[in-house]
Amino acid sequence: MRRATLRSLLAHKLRLALSAVAIVLGVAFVAGTMIFTDTLDRTFTALFQSTASDVGVTAEAGFDAGVDGTAGTRPVPAELAQRIRGVEGVAAAEGYVQAEGVYLLTADGQVLDTGGAPGIGASWITDPELSLGELTEGRAPERAGEVALDSGSAAEAGYTVGDRVTLLTPGPRVDATVVGVFTFGEDGGLAGASLTAFDLATAQDLTGAGDGYTGIQVLAADDVTDAELRDRVAAVVGDGYDVQTAQQQADEQSAALEEGLSFITVLLTAFAVIALFVGSFIILNTFSMLVAQRSRELALLRALGASRGQVTRSVLVEAAVLGVVGATLGLAGGFGIATGLRALFGTFGLTLDGDLVLSAGTVVWSYAVGVVVTLLAAWVPARRAARTPPVAAMREDHVAVERSLRRRTVVGAVLAAGAAVTLVGSAVAEDGGNAPALVGVGALALVLAAVALSPVAARPFARALGALLPRLAGTAGRLARDNAQRNPRRTAATASALMVGLTLVTGFGVLGASANASVDALVDDALRADYVVSTAVGQPFTPEVADRLRGLDEVAAVLQERFTQVQLDGQAVFAAAVDAATLDRGLTLEYLSGSSDGLAGRGVLVDETTAEARGWEVGDTVEAVSAGGQRAQLTVGGVYAANQAVGSVVVSLETDAALGGPALDRYVHVVLAEGTDAAAGRAAIESVVESYPVVSLKDRDEFAGEQKGQVDQVLLLINALLVLSVVIAVLGIVNTLAMSVLERTREIGLLRAVGMTRRQLRRTVRLEAVLISVYGSVLGLGLGLVLGVSLTRALAEQGITELVVPGGRLVGFLVLGALIGVVAAAWPARRAARMQVLDAIATA
Amino acid sequence: MTPVQQTYPAVPAAPAGVPAARGRALTKVYGRGDTRVTALDAVDVEFRRGEFTAIMGPSGSGKSTLMHCMAGLDSLTSGQAWIGDAELSALDDTGLTRLRRDRVGFVFQAFNLLPTLTALENITLPMDIAGRAPDRAWLDEVVDAVGLRPRLGHRPTELSGGQQQRVACARALAGRPEVVFADEPTGNLDSRSGGSVLSFLRSSVREMGQTVVMVTHDPVAAAYADRVLFLADGRIVDEMTSPTAERVLDRMKAFDSAGRVVEVG
Ligand SMILES: Nc1ncnc2c1ncn2[C@@H]1O[C@H](COP(=O)(O)OP(=O)(O)O)[C@@H](O)[C@H]1O
Ligand SMILES: [Mg+2]
């Protein structure tokens, strides 16, 4: 029995290879995604989580502000470090200062590109046991005018010890000499961020920390546990400080990290699920074909006395062997895919250092997909083959039993109904915060429903669309249509990989187009100033820029805009902080009650939604708490219609400062003086902005373009990921078609014998592929539209106010779908055409 | 002698008097060295128009090879074959494909029909491939002759083996080929179904003027033909006109023993 199995496997080398390829593809896709996700996770975790101390002390936060750096924090007084050193069990304690907004300039005066990652400035921790940095060259900075650079930034900018460098800081520019180069953390990885180390005094000056610290790091003596030490330190420092063990810090930061990176994590997890889906489909498809094709052979074994169990078992053993081999190769292929993804992310400035991460989870899932899915794929047809009475199977053209699609119809309908309820629910949800999650659940249900229902719809679709084919392509067209209709399950399964890919591409296409339209609307409706000065990604920069612009004759008004997180009556919100005096010159707010005058004193403006939700009216008093713990009583001074430029809450710069907000601008809006020539005005502003390489000057169109550029970049990244799924889908179609061609060897021989030319035969295969891929594309477009519209609606509160369906692009996707069919058919079609007529006829 | 300018129907195209198919010194060698097999050994053969020829011979004597080479399904090692006035070695793959499509009909022992097409669609398949409309009157005549009118809309799986072979015969004849090649068309059928297929083939020759070449093992089947060619070891060793089952059987027995004598000697 075993020998018979082995022989038959070897006898069909091509089939075997195709099945193995399917498993390798499927597993590689899953493994690649997981390896990459883990690597990404590891890199970010290393960036935020690395800590060398046993206990850390920081000022207690007013509330949990997450990882976003918009909230100001109170400094820790220096004398506290002294007190902590006196605690029993403390081996060492050292204060440090750390802040964002410190950028290294390259030799030609440009800001070193961090790809959106922060530029961090910090004091050098002198105790080597507490320091995360490890010098690889030179020494630590000891006085003003000396810095040490992280090795990544130094290498990228081409600096070594002894070079003179210029740094942009939240305060003034700094010229310094590089005295050292260091690696950071265990992997030396900063995920693209740059880290510049100063001596403590300089760092305190630059970040405006006075003689205080950002925090204090404490090293425990050998005879004391971290928890014990924490309790002792906490007793000494008293209220108003967070004292945490390294483990607590790591846990807290990783929780915050997860929240901060939720977008990427959700995206990649979704992608891994898609990978699992697509991979399983390809394997299921191919392997069930492989077994179905051999049903006659299996029937012969039955006729010769093999039991049902023996037949089923022999197929399963074969599947298991193939699954293990395929999964192993697929795992290797996954490394290739992950390497490619890393290179791709690298081109977007997100550098992932260190080796790729192969976690146990990846291995388990790879083999689960490779082996379990293959076994499942083999088991169903094997059992069916074993059940077929030997005589029936041995007959020349035994009728393939057509299984009913009723169960699928029912399951699909239930899922579709669930999806509809969830999606409609997301549209009418009161609490907008849950809407995106609801859309996610609805989308999953919708895709599953489509997968369940697509075999049901495959036949009518092939018939309807295929009705054109005989007219366009004669017999080739009709045969293509008939072949596509012949096995609706297979047609659907082949198409579904493409469907899933196109669903997401379309959905994100709608979202992206809507986001871009929203940017236009924002610029048209809310921006009033002639120019905006900002960094490319809304990072903070020095208020010197605004001060100097205010001094220009060509400038009539300057509006500084900052963002902060603050708790109002117990609920955290994002607030914009602006110049009260120039708010109405730089931005358009539509006041429903009150006006910009309401910002005076400790005034606050809120948007309509917030006012309604909280029941606030002009004149009400609100309790504000900053992340640093500062408190203030604010008076509602006005209510405005929803505005994307400022968000839901506006305070004055003075109020923000009182709440401990750092004196760093995110946007500066500039209004030209009346009668100023536009070119002259721009030149004047440019002359100021030029000396701050981190910011740039944009007119309204340029500003819109820059914002849209960011949307497009995110979309590009998502699409690049999805292209991979489409590529895998195409390979899946190639595989299924190649198997179909093999399966129809005798038919092809017959067709050739009665006079079908090679060209006609190729065309038949090609048309069948096009029919299948267009089917997948149409389903994908439909689902993607539903998904995109729901997602856009759900994200209305996040600023995507417009809904745009990019019709031209969708038509493009459909054409692309058809082209994919042509491309996928190329090899199987050639194989079909190359078959020797006599061999084909002789094949039983 | 000046040939009279004449218009022929599109198919068949060869002038009258030219045999429907003929072969000269047909030689086919498979393999090389130890595995070398001479399947056809310098065979000269001619199939006249309007004649029903049966080819008989022991298994492995080269019957199928002869048919495949004559029909342009396989290439010759040496020698020449003609369908009408078309010399096969002069044609490339597309030329051979067209020739098979337009001027030759086929019936195989099994798997003659595409499962996705109805009986009628299978019958008109070669014409559909050519993009040509079938000759309705002729098609009606063929369909009635095979007696399948009520089954035209059925798919192959809904037809019995005999019915399937009759559909295949109808397909072979529907394009009015110059010659129909049938390789053991009744090999898989019971004698009653086989009989109806054979009667149809004979009537297509007698009443419709077609040319049929049929390979068979069965003396009873051979008796339907006008002429029987006997093949042994890749050579034509005898010929019989107006055969009956008994005479064919006798002749076969004679060859059998003669063959054995030759082998031993
Ligand atoms: N493709 C092939 N390769 C090698 N030998 C072949 C091939 N086809 C046929 N033969 C050999 O040629 C001889 C004639 O075969 P065939 O024409 O099929 O005989 P028949 O149809 O009379 O039984 C046989 O010895 C057979 O083994
Ligand atoms: Mg034969």
Side-chain angles (χ1 to χ4, degrees):
Chain A
M1 193 68 199
R2 183 151 322 139
R3 188 180 318 145
T5 307
L6 212 64
R7 284 276 158 77
S8 106
L9 265 177
L10 294 177
H12 302 286
K13 282 198 206 79
L14 183 64
R15 282 180 198 175
L16 193 66
L18 287 174
S19 315
V21 163
I23 301 169
V24 171
L25 279 180
V27 173
F29 196 31
V30 174
T33 309
M34 293 185 73
I35 291 173
F36 181 70
T37 312
D38 289 341
T39 307
L40 192 69
D41 207 43
R42 196 270 323 265
T43 308
F44 279 103
T45 308
L47 172 62
F48 290 102
Q49 257 185 18
S50 299
T51 171
S53 66
D54 299 318
V55 172
V57 179
T58 52
E60 190 177 56
F63 60 93
D64 179 17
V67 288
D68 193 280
T70 53
T73 46
R74 267 180 312 127
V76 178
E79 58 84 26
L80 206 58
Q82 206 52 50
R83 289 207 333 248
I84 291 171
R85 274 188 208 107
V87 173
E88 203 190 324
V90 170
E94 189 167 340
Y96 66 94
V97 172
Q98 183 178 320
E100 288 188 23
V102 176
Y103 297 95
L104 183 63
L105 295 193
T106 58
D108 54 4
Q110 296 300 305
V111 175
L112 182 71
D113 188 15
T114 56
I120 302 168
S123 62
W124 181 261
I125 297 181
T126 51
D127 189 325
E129 290 213 60
L130 281 171
S131 179
L132 268 179
E134 191 172 325
L135 285 165
T136 54
E137 253 182 87
R139 58 174 175 83
E142 285 161 4
R143 58 186 66 83
E146 293 182 351
V147 291
L149 305 177
D150 75 89
S151 55
S153 302
E156 205 180 326
Y159 290 134
T160 53
V161 172
D163 285 344
R164 294 289 295 169
V165 294
T166 303
L167 294 150
L168 297 177
T169 73
R173 260 163 193 267
V174 170
D175 288 318
T177 306
V178 179
V179 295
V181 173
F182 60 90
T183 55
F184 179 82
E186 278 164 30
D187 298 295
L190 279 165
S194 78
L195 180 56
T196 309
F198 303 88
D199 67 289
L200 179 63
T202 309
Q204 283 171 330
D205 273 357
L206 290 176
T207 56
D211 61 353
Y213 301 132
T214 306
I216 299 170
Q217 304 214 321
V218 183
L219 197 67
D222 291 341
D223 57 353
V224 62
T225 67
D226 289 0
E228 278 166 7
L229 190 66
R230 176 199 58 205
D231 294 340
R232 290 187 207 167
V233 170
V236 170
V237 298
D239 283 346
Y241 298 97
D242 273 340
V243 183
Q244 291 178 313
T245 61
Q247 188 58 47
Q248 282 176 317
Q249 288 179 53
D251 291 348
E252 190 165 284
Q253 277 169 335
S254 91
L257 169 79
E258 253 158 47
E259 210 176 299
L261 288 178
S262 64
F263 170 70
I264 292 181
T265 316
V266 165
L267 187 73
L268 285 174
T269 309
F271 195 62
V273 172
I274 298 165
L276 209 69
F277 232 61
V278 173
S280 304
F281 268 127
I282 294 174
I283 297 174
L284 213 68
N285 231 7
T286 315
F287 218 84
S288 54
M289 283 170 84
L290 180 75
V291 178
Q293 284 174 12
R294 287 189 23 220
S295 60
R296 258 160 48 99
E297 202 178 296
L298 298 176
L300 179 64
L301 288 174
R302 289 270 287 122
L304 296 178
S307 73
R308 267 186 206 180
Q310 269 178 311
V311 167
T312 314
R313 240 184 343 265
S314 83
V315 172
L316 288 185
V317 167
E318 173 186 326
V321 170
L322 214 56
V324 169
V325 172
T328 308
L329 291 176
L331 205 51
F335 268 96
I337 288 180
T339 308
L341 282 176
R342 181 159 68 166
L344 177 77
F345 271 66
T347 64
F348 291 101
L350 186 60
T351 324
L352 304 184
D353 303 294
D355 293 333
L356 292 170
V357 177
L358 179 66
S359 68
T362 306
V363 176
V364 169
W365 275 108
S366 294
Y367 282 98
V369 170
V371 180
V372 177
V373 173
T374 308
L375 281 178
L376 212 76
W379 184 64
V380 176
R383 215 177 45 142
R384 210 178 316 138
R387 272 195 194 157
T388 318
V391 195
M394 295 301 295
R395 261 211 310 269
E396 197 49 44
D397 299 300
H398 70 273
V399 189
V401 192
E402 190 144 323
R403 285 171 303 145
S404 162
L405 291 169
R406 191 181 311 141
R407 210 170 54 188
R408 273 179 174 267
T409 315
V410 172
V411 171
V414 169
L415 279 169
V421 168
T422 322
L423 290 177
V424 169
S426 78
V428 299
E430 277 294 311
D431 178 10
N434 281 335
L438 279 179
V439 169
V441 172
L444 188 65
L446 195 65
V447 169
L448 289 176
V451 167
L453 287 176
S454 70
V456 184
R459 229 174 227 167
F461 178 88
R463 200 175 304 134
L465 190 73
L468 294 169
L469 286 181
R471 226 163 297 155
L472 292 175
T475 312
R478 193 179 54 191
L479 290 174
R481 179 197 62 192
D482 292 350
N483 285 339
Q485 283 186 40
R486 194 192 278 198
N487 188 338
R489 276 167 206 276
R490 185 189 302 168
T491 300
T494 312
S496 54
L498 195 58
M499 175 189 84
V500 174
L502 270 185
T503 298
L504 294 161
V505 175
T506 306
F508 284 113
V510 171
L511 187 62
S514 301
N516 277 337
S518 305
V519 169
D520 281 331
L522 165 80
V523 170
D524 284 346
D525 299 343
L527 290 197
R528 176 175 281 180
D530 302 301
Y531 293 103
V532 177
V533 175
S534 69
T535 68
V537 285
Q539 282 175 332
F541 56 92
T542 171
E544 256 180 44
V545 181
D547 288 343
R548 286 182 58 189
L549 287 174
R550 226 172 252 126
L552 293 176
D553 290 340
E554 290 86 349
V555 171
V558 171
L559 171 66
Q560 288 163 274
E561 191 178 5
R562 300 170 182 172
F563 294 104
T564 185
Q565 241 186 324
V566 57
Q567 213 174 42
L568 292 183
D569 277 0
Q571 207 172 320
V573 290
F574 265 103
V578 297
D579 283 314
T582 50
L583 171 59
D584 292 334
R585 304 203 54 186
L587 293 168
T588 308
L589 260 64
E590 192 190 324
Y591 297 100
L592 304 172
S593 61
S595 73
S596 60
D597 295 340
L599 282 177
R602 289 280 175 262
V604 59
L605 307 179
V606 296
D607 77 351
E608 197 182 359
T609 325
T610 310
E612 268 173 24
R614 305 285 200 99
W616 291 337
E617 282 173 20
V618 172
D620 287 355
T621 306
V622 192
E623 159 98 312
V625 181
S626 75
Q630 295 93 334
R631 284 163 193 277
Q633 298 293 318
L634 306 184
T635 310
V636 176
V639 176
Y640 55 88
N643 186 302
Q644 289 309 320
V646 293
S648 54
V649 174
V650 182
V651 296
S652 68
L653 292 179
E654 294 75 25
T655 305
D656 182 41
L659 285 169
L664 292 173
D665 294 335
R666 300 257 172 180
Y667 297 98
V668 171
H669 305 263
V670 185
V671 184
L672 287 183
E674 208 137 334
T676 307
D677 172 54
R682 181 168 189 137
I685 302 172
E686 199 80 74
S687 71
V688 170
V689 170
E690 251 170 21
S691 42
Y692 301 89
V694 75
V695 294
S696 60
L697 172 67
K698 287 144 286 207
D699 67 18
R700 299 162 60 94
D701 285 345
E702 288 164 348
F703 180 71
E706 188 180 83
Q707 300 293 309
K708 286 193 258 185
Q710 287 169 40
V711 174
D712 287 340
Q713 204 175 26
V714 172
L715 268 187
L716 202 63
L717 199 61
I718 294 176
N719 281 340
L721 283 173
L722 293 175
V723 161
L724 188 66
S725 80
V726 172
V727 167
I728 302 277
V730 171
L731 291 175
I733 298 177
V734 173
N735 214 338
T736 311
L737 274 180
M739 294 286 274
S740 298
V741 164
L742 277 178
E743 192 175 86
R744 293 180 203 144
T745 297
R746 285 196 306 169
E747 281 176 52
I748 290 166
L750 179 66
L751 281 167
R752 294 275 291 130
V754 301
M756 183 167 256
T757 60
R758 295 197 157 134
R759 260 187 64 189
Q760 286 175 309
L761 199 56
R762 276 199 298 268
R763 193 191 296 168
T764 308
V765 177
R766 209 180 298 133
L767 286 174
E768 182 185 349
V770 168
L771 209 55
I772 293 174
S773 62
V774 167
Y775 180 53
S777 308
V778 167
L779 288 180
L781 283 182
L783 294 182
L785 268 178
V786 174
L787 178 66
V789 170
S790 309
L791 205 55
T792 303
R793 288 242 178 281
L795 290 175
E797 286 197 3
Q798 268 72 48
I800 304 184
T801 50
E802 310 292 307
L803 176 63
V804 175
V805 174
R809 200 179 304 180
L810 298 194
V811 172
F813 288 158
L814 200 60
V815 174
L816 189 75
L819 276 180
I820 282 174
V822 174
V823 172
W827 180 66
R830 257 199 12 202
R831 263 200 72 83
R834 286 262 175 91
M835 276 182 190
Q836 293 298 319
V837 182
L838 278 179
D839 294 350
I841 295 170
T843 311
Chain B
M1 186 177 100
T2 321
V4 182
Q5 201 61 33
Q6 217 180 335
T7 51
Y8 294 100
V11 180
V18 174
R22 79 196 151 93
R24 181 181 299 155
L26 300 174
T27 304
K28 178 74 186 178
V29 179
Y30 287 111
R32 55 178 56 157
D34 283 351
T35 59
R36 187 183 156 96
V37 177
T38 305
L40 288 181
D41 190 359
V43 172
D44 290 314
V45 70
E46 195 173 293
F47 302 108
R48 287 181 291 275
R49 270 163 209 288
E51 193 177 57
F52 188 176
T53 308
I55 300 176
M56 296 202 71
S59 188
S61 57
K63 308 180 294 289
S64 295
T65 306
L66 175 63
M67 272 199 35
H68 292 154
C69 290
M70 285 302 305
L73 281 170
D74 205 351
S75 61
L76 286 162
T77 308
S78 68
Q80 285 173 297
W82 288 265
I83 297 292
D85 55 357
E87 208 269 295
L88 302 189
S89 66
L91 299 172
D92 60 5
D93 181 76
T94 309
L96 284 174
T97 304
R98 295 248 159 80
L99 176 106
R100 290 198 300 268
R101 187 182 75 193
D102 299 335
R103 297 170 72 170
V104 178
F106 283 101
V107 183
F108 299 106
Q109 182 173 354
F111 199 80
N112 270 298
L113 308 177
L114 285 192
T116 53
L117 301 184
T118 63
L120 180 63
E121 288 167 340
N122 264 297
I123 293 172
T124 57
L125 183 60
M127 285 157 279
D128 290 341
I129 291 172
R132 221 173 340 100
D135 173 345
R136 291 251 56 116
W138 172 250
L139 188 64
D140 282 343
E141 198 179 330
V142 171
V143 167
D144 285 333
V146 286
L148 282 171
R149 191 160 291 284
R151 306 253 166 225
L152 287 181
H154 291 215
R155 294 194 192 266
T157 47
E158 298 158 347
L159 300 174
S160 72
Q163 286 169 335
Q164 288 184 29
Q165 286 305 76
R166 280 188 280 154
V167 171
C169 292
R171 195 228 5 249
L173 287 164
R176 277 187 203 258
E178 287 194 48
V179 54
V180 171
F181 291 105
D183 194 348
E184 307 197 34
T186 59
N188 277 2
L189 301 181
D190 61 68
S191 60
R192 227 179 57 121
S193 310
S196 70
V197 170
L198 291 164
S199 313
F200 169 66
L201 286 177
R202 184 170 59 191
S203 71
S204 75
V205 173
R206 301 270 160 85
E207 282 142 43
M208 305 176 188
Q210 291 293 304
T211 309
V212 175
V213 180
M214 172 182 76
V215 168
T216 182
H217 266 112
D218 177 8
V220 178
Y224 282 80
D226 300 319
R227 180 172 75 126
V228 183
L229 296 179
F230 293 93
L231 222 60
D233 292 333
R235 275 178 244 208
I236 293 179
V237 290
D238 200 359
E239 180 176 338
M240 179 189 290
T241 45
S242 311
T244 64
E246 295 84 63
R247 285 178 58 215
V248 172
L249 195 59
D250 288 345
R251 191 72 57 97
M252 295 275 285
K253 283 179 181 156
F255 285 130
D256 235 22
S257 45
R260 212 168 292 134
V261 170
V262 171
E263 263 174 24
V264 171

